[in-house]
Amino acid sequence: MRDVEVIEDPAAAAVALEPVRARLLAELAEPASAAALATRLGLTRQKINYHLRALESHGLVEPAGERRWGGLTERLFTATAASYQVSPAALGEAGTPAVEPDRLSSGYLLAIAGRTVREVAGLIRRATDAGKPLPTLALDTEIAFRSARERAAFTDELTTAVTDLVSRYHDETAPGARTHRLVVSAHPKPAAPPATRAG
């Protein structure tokens, strides 16, 4: 089972986004039979089998062996990944926005994020086919700014530091050099949902 699978095919995305099927993908982090899933979801086994066939036809679930129970042999299924993301590529031209020139706009950030999902998904597929690892780097942290002025000062200092590092290490003329994308982004952290009080 892969950690994350990026869905690029529009038909597969439509199948995965259907509410019952999305729930089945979550339930199938561990192998389960149609009968067990029917009990968990409160649906008939026939209905579960129908949804499982749709998921299997798009490579989102796969057989995971058999189990004998009550004199019957049940087929087990498991999801092909622990989690799924739908690539903007699934929307075709509508999912490929032009990258806005304003690096401080939310539209620019979303366009860059979408491009990252599309590019990394393709790189993972090619690396997997070649039996090679894909070298990547990701940094994730949080920072609380005391004021908008300090946020702006941080942005300027970070830009200067990154520009300096890039100028020191970038050499596209070196034999065997391979260009990498470096994306640095920041956005306000969403507020935590309010805790529900027990009634």
Side-chain angles (χ1 to χ4, degrees):
M1 177 183 286
R2 294 180 287 279
D3 291 334
V4 181
E5 183 168 333
V6 179
I7 301 172
E8 297 180 292
D9 176 59
V15 166
L17 291 171
E18 194 280 330
V20 172
R21 294 169 186 167
R23 173 80 188 279
L24 286 172
L25 290 175
E27 292 288 339
L28 287 171
E30 298 289 337
S33 67
L37 293 167
T39 299
R40 290 183 210 167
L41 274 66
L43 298 172
T44 65
R45 185 164 48 183
Q46 291 79 7
K47 183 83 75 173
I48 294 294
N49 277 320
Y50 166 76
H51 289 302
L52 287 174
R53 283 194 296 273
L55 291 167
E56 186 178 17
S57 70
H58 290 281
L60 300 171
V61 302
E62 59 191 4
E66 296 180 340
R67 177 177 61 196
R68 294 208 39 97
W69 183 78
L72 301 173
T73 301
E74 294 183 319
R75 292 182 71 203
L76 301 177
F77 289 89
T78 187
T80 55
S83 65
Y84 297 84
Q85 290 190 4
V86 177
S87 169
L91 294 172
E93 291 298 317
T96 311
V99 177
E100 300 179 21
D102 180 5
R103 62 185 177 86
L104 299 179
S105 74
S106 57
Y108 181 79
L109 175 57
L110 289 174
I112 294 295
R115 184 185 69 189
T116 300
V117 171
R118 289 192 306 274
E119 290 184 350
V120 174
L123 290 167
I124 290 172
R125 192 169 49 252
R126 290 194 289 275
T128 300
D129 291 344
K132 295 181 178 179
L134 176 65
T136 61
L137 166 68
L139 302 176
D140 183 20
T141 190
E142 295 177 11
I143 179 170
F145 296 108
R146 286 181 287 265
S147 66
R149 177 177 293 180
E150 290 202 357
R151 185 182 64 221
F154 174 84
T155 300
D156 289 342
E157 288 186 43
L158 180 62
T159 301
T160 299
V162 171
T163 301
D164 177 60
L165 277 171
V166 170
S167 66
R168 282 195 281 140
Y169 288 95
H170 178 67
D171 184 1
E172 60 188 18
T173 64
R178 182 171 184 186
T179 302
H180 285 65
R181 283 200 195 279
L182 173 65
V183 176
V184 180
S185 68
H187 61 82
K189 182 180 177 183
T196 56
R197 297 175 63 181

